[in-house]
Amino acid sequence: MYTYTRCYTGPLQAVIMDLAGTCVDFGSLAPIQAFLNLFEAEGIELTEAEAREPMGTEKREHIRQLLAMPRIRKQWQARFDKTPDAADIDRLYQAFLPLQTAAIAERATLIPGALALQERLREDGIRLGVNTGYSREMVEVMLPELKAQGFEPQSVVVATEVPQGRPAPHMSLKNAIELGVTAVQACVKVDDTATGIEEGLNAGMWTVAVVASGNAVGLSEERLAELADDERGALLARGRRAMAQSAAHYVIDSIADLPDVLADIDHRLAAGECP
């Protein structure tokens, strides 16, 4: 009997990025504000930490996971004299849509480094895709704003248009198909949530976790800059530790740091390494 190992040793072909907290909406604040407003309207106390826990998932699933949390479930039982069910999730999702759309419109500013990264990828012949837990209706609010700032990914995939959202690999694989990728080992998934990193790992891709602009820190660029150096440093260190637990191949503070990572991955691919 014989066995052999097959390795892709070609160049990188595609970078697939999450949207909120990775390349737009520093701090990933748009989803959080929408969820806080949604549950406040129901008379349910929801903390920001609780709202962030399922981040990266499709938004209906996000609501389902929030309602499954013991503290939230207990409040719901007391408020409505019943446990939350599928009809409640559907109702909350419909109420969530306009709240999220409005928040997205207010938080559609690119994260520093996004345009320079896009230009670098174009120069190197690497295709750029994005995917998101947002629905198509939500993301269509954002895309014209991103285009006006000069950001135009070649593939945009949303969670509601694949069989399963994160952590299933379907969105990243759909990006790869749309981008004409010939090997998933030639793709890099960049995300600010553990769920998004798991998506990339499940797709067989290299993964890069982003800390400073994303869910692990959860502050706007202005608020983060206002912190004292030691406080900011401690917060970033905690975020790095948290994202390291996602099993990402690399952990970086910002997408501005991504070009050095891509160069390293190119060297590893040439040497016969796989994700």
Side-chain angles (χ1 to χ4, degrees):
M1 294 180 63
Y2 299 90
T3 61
Y4 73 97
T5 300
R6 183 172 180 267
C7 296
Y8 173 83
T9 56
L12 281 174
Q13 297 182 26
V15 170
I16 298 167
M17 302 175 69
D18 171 53
L19 280 174
T22 300
C23 57
V24 66
D25 184 11
F26 197 109
S28 194
L29 298 176
I32 297 307
Q33 191 57 57
F35 282 119
L36 293 177
N37 291 343
L38 175 69
F39 278 79
E40 182 182 13
E42 297 292 323
I44 304 295
E45 180 198 1
L46 177 70
T47 68
E48 183 170 330
E50 288 167 334
R52 285 192 179 278
E53 194 169 318
M55 281 288 277
T57 60
E58 185 272 325
K59 300 314 173 193
R60 187 188 301 270
E61 172 63 15
H62 193 130
I63 291 170
R64 188 196 69 77
Q65 291 188 29
L66 290 176
L67 291 173
M69 293 178 180
R71 198 182 76 85
I72 305 303
R73 195 177 187 86
K74 184 177 180 180
Q75 288 186 71
W76 192 277
Q77 177 76 49
R79 177 83 171 80
F80 298 104
D81 198 28
K82 72 181 189 70
T83 57
D85 56 24
D88 293 316
I89 295 172
D90 289 341
R91 180 179 64 80
L92 287 175
Y93 182 73
Q94 291 305 314
F96 173 77
L97 291 175
L99 296 174
Q100 181 66 102
T101 300
I104 288 171
E106 294 175 0
R107 299 288 309 174
T109 302
L110 285 171
I111 288 170
L115 291 180
L117 174 63
Q118 177 180 252
E119 183 60 28
R120 175 71 175 271
L121 295 178
R122 287 174 177 170
E123 291 174 358
D124 293 343
I126 299 172
R127 283 151 257 175
L128 173 63
V130 296
N131 66 35
T132 176
Y134 292 152
S135 68
R136 179 60 62 177
E137 293 85 354
M138 296 173 192
V139 84
E140 288 297 342
V141 173
M142 179 184 290
L143 292 178
E145 297 295 328
L146 300 187
K147 183 176 181 179
Q149 296 170 68
F151 191 72
E152 298 185 71
Q154 295 154 283
S155 168
V156 179
V157 175
V158 302
T160 52
E161 295 176 350
V162 294
Q164 285 181 264
R166 300 169 183 151
H170 300 172
M171 283 200 293
S172 283
L173 294 176
K174 189 171 190 291
N175 281 124
I177 292 169
E178 292 183 358
L179 294 170
V181 168
T182 60
V184 292
Q185 301 94 327
C187 297
V188 180
K189 176 67 201 305
V190 187
D191 209 292
D192 68 300
T193 67
T195 303
I197 295 300
E198 189 176 359
E199 171 203 358
L201 294 172
N202 287 338
M205 300 176 178
W206 298 93
T207 56
V208 182
V210 176
V211 174
S213 64
N215 195 59
V217 173
L219 296 180
S220 69
E221 186 179 9
E222 295 76 18
R223 282 191 61 196
L224 185 61
E226 288 169 358
L227 297 178
D229 289 347
D230 56 346
E231 186 178 1
R232 183 170 55 253
L235 188 61
L236 290 173
R238 285 197 299 272
R240 293 182 199 114
R241 288 194 297 270
M243 291 310 295
Q245 293 176 3
S246 70
H249 295 93
Y250 298 85
V251 177
I252 59 177
D253 281 343
S254 162
I255 53 172
D257 305 318
L258 191 58
D260 288 341
V261 168
L262 299 181
D264 190 62
I265 292 173
D266 252 332
H267 291 313
R268 294 174 70 177
L269 284 172
E273 285 192 53
C274 292

